[in-house]
Amino acid sequence: MTSPRPLPTLVLLGAGLAALTLGALALHVPGADTVGSPLRANLFVGVVAVSVGVYLLAVRVVLRRDPPPAALGPVLMLAVGLRLVLLLQPPFLSSDIYRYVWDGQVQAAGVNPYLHVPADPALAPLRDPAVFPHINRADYARTIYPPAAQVFFALVGRISASVTGMKAAMLLCEAVAVLCLLRLLAQAGLPRARILIYAWNPLVLWSFALDGHVDALAVGLLALALLARARHRDGLAGAILAGAVLVKFLPVVVAPAFVRGGRLWRPAIAGLAVIVALYAPYLSAGTGVLGFLPTYGTEEGFDTGQGFWLLAGLSHLVTLPGASARIYMLAVAAAFAALSLRVATRRAPEGVPDTVVLCRDVGLLAALATAAANPHYAWYYAWLALPACVAPSPAVIWLSAAPVLFYVDPFNERFVWPGLVFGPAAILAVRALARRRKAA
């Protein structure tokens, strides 16, 4: 019995993904800054979760069968179409983008964004009724976003001081990422239809096209850094990676993959130069240049340990010592340091393209660091879909999409509901490791 041809199957799954995306969008109450009600939010997440299932089936098709080159066109057409539909909608899953626009307006007025909270009377003349009322933490938190993000906000603000303009800019960053991924896939000799792993990912769609999260800028820069490293432009790769780190600090965890094979000094020096250059214009804020970051961990429960999935689970069984969070973070840091050293020093397997090894290592480091920190905001996981296009891993692909469940929190705690994401990811990772050892 012959298996269905991959192209018609992908078209059918793409139609299902489009229908589910539009159905989820229809649940939003027009004008509401959230989905509209708790019931609607639950239904929304349910529909999006089904779309994740359709997406995973499409990933299975594109990985297990050999899609023809003609599949690339429909894959990209659907990806672009869904993004344009979501671009025209107001953000209702997160209000972060209003802070981006505000920071751009503040800089346009010649003010250092790290100096004042948005509600500061000194900034009263800048309050835009379309933006200011929607800023979260406006009365107590200075901006948390690093200098590269601030430069981007300022540049976009000069063109369009609107939410739609900022979202469009984030989609341009995504376009850069897609172009880089297509080049990386071609360089690795892989079917370019694998771009579906990133372009059809529902979490990526909702995070960037609807809510315009700044992670899209980090994704675009990381893709550029991967392409530069794959072409042996080590200094350029280090400089661009440093830019990604100063958009959202988390990409620093993939640095060991960029210095594998003793290629350390050029990327390190170039990256350090970029960091100094980007921080310099904002140093008038002194230590305030870190913004809300020092307080953020306390707000998220990382100081008590309740913000960590594993500790939250253990706390249901035993009374944890006061130093449990510190012990957890030290253990994670030690394990990650050992893994980083191994990634940076090991040789590439014979017969495996260097581009694949690079993306595999980046995906491994990114997934483990993100899972260890386990933020409860869904969009923090979207960047994992990027390296998975070139070096697909079931656990990484799952982690890049399944956190759509985090858009609701039915039990108001940090273990049971998140376990629906982290539990399967752990099982998939152990299964892949066992298969690798058996094959070896």
Side-chain angles (χ1 to χ4, degrees):
M1 181 176 179
T2 59
S3 60
R5 291 176 297 167
L7 182 53
T9 305
L10 288 177
V11 170
L12 181 62
L13 291 171
L17 181 62
L20 289 165
T21 302
L22 295 175
L25 188 60
L27 289 168
H28 172 241
V29 174
D33 58 359
T34 62
V35 179
S37 70
L39 176 60
R40 283 178 176 265
N42 291 336
L43 289 173
F44 171 87
V45 169
V47 174
V48 176
V50 174
S51 76
V52 169
V54 173
Y55 159 75
L56 293 175
L57 288 175
V59 171
R60 181 184 177 93
V61 169
V62 85
L63 291 179
R64 294 206 169 187
R65 303 175 196 169
D66 188 16
L72 180 62
V75 166
L76 292 179
M77 287 175 61
L78 178 62
V80 171
L82 291 179
R83 281 164 171 78
L84 291 178
V85 169
L86 295 178
L87 170 66
L88 300 176
Q89 308 301 318
F92 58 81
L93 297 174
S94 166
S95 59
D96 285 1
I97 195 169
Y98 294 100
R99 175 75 76 150
Y100 310 162
V101 178
W102 171 260
D103 284 356
Q105 292 175 337
V106 168
Q107 293 180 83
V111 179
N112 188 331
Y114 296 104
L115 289 175
H116 308 279
V117 298
D120 193 311
L123 302 181
L126 303 179
R127 293 176 186 173
D128 181 344
V131 174
F132 179 77
H134 301 285
I135 300 173
N136 56 48
R137 304 183 180 96
D139 57 346
Y140 69 91
R142 288 174 294 175
T143 186
I144 195 174
Y145 302 103
Q150 294 297 338
V151 171
F152 186 79
F153 300 157
L155 292 174
V156 174
R158 290 182 177 273
I159 301 171
S160 172
S162 69
V163 167
T164 302
M166 188 64 71
K167 287 170 66 174
M170 297 302 176
L171 290 187
L172 287 176
C173 296
E174 269 205 292
V176 171
V178 168
L179 291 174
C180 291
L181 283 173
L182 291 173
R183 295 286 185 90
L184 289 167
L185 287 166
Q187 184 167 329
L190 298 171
R192 293 196 297 168
R194 284 194 182 187
I195 195 69
L196 174 153
I197 296 172
Y198 176 86
W200 283 16
N201 187 304
L203 181 56
V204 170
L205 277 170
W206 292 101
S207 297
F208 300 155
L210 180 77
D211 287 335
H213 281 289
V214 74
D215 305 62
L217 172 58
V219 164
L221 290 173
L222 179 57
L224 281 170
L226 287 171
L227 184 60
R229 174 62 171 75
R231 294 182 171 181
H232 307 289
R233 303 286 299 277
D234 297 347
L236 180 61
I240 299 173
L241 179 61
V245 171
L246 292 192
V247 170
K248 200 147 191 173
F249 294 115
L250 193 53
V252 71
V253 300
V254 306
F258 282 77
V259 299
R260 181 174 49 83
R263 299 156 72 169
L264 172 64
W265 295 110
R266 285 186 179 180
I269 293 172
L272 181 61
V274 167
I275 291 172
V276 171
L278 287 172
Y279 264 112
Y282 300 100
L283 290 180
S284 61
T287 56
V289 77
L290 295 176
F292 183 60
L293 184 63
T295 312
Y296 178 77
T298 300
E299 187 174 283
E300 295 301 313
F302 293 144
D303 57 335
T304 62
Q306 288 302 306
F308 297 113
W309 178 66
L310 182 60
L311 296 185
L314 290 174
S315 69
H316 289 298
L317 303 175
V318 297
T319 301
L320 297 178
S324 59
R326 189 175 305 171
I327 294 171
Y328 175 82
M329 288 187 284
L330 287 173
V332 167
F336 197 81
L339 175 63
S340 298
L341 182 62
R342 182 184 177 192
V343 167
T345 56
R346 68 181 175 184
R347 294 182 178 181
E350 188 176 348
V352 180
D354 186 66
T355 303
V356 173
V357 176
L358 172 64
C359 291
R360 183 196 63 192
D361 290 344
V362 166
L364 173 65
L365 293 167
L368 288 177
T370 307
N374 50 80
H376 66 283
Y377 297 116
W379 53 90
Y380 276 67
Y381 300 83
W383 74 307
L384 301 179
L386 181 76
C389 281
V390 180
S393 159
V396 175
I397 292 173
W398 172 262
L399 273 178
S400 75
V404 296
L405 295 176
F406 294 167
Y407 282 123
V408 293
D409 185 6
F411 305 123
N412 194 29
E413 60 88 51
R414 295 290 184 87
F415 181 71
V416 176
W417 188 251
L420 297 178
V421 172
F422 297 124
I427 293 171
L428 289 169
V430 171
R431 182 183 178 188
L433 182 61
R435 284 183 172 181
R436 189 176 298 117
R437 287 184 174 178
K438 184 178 180 180

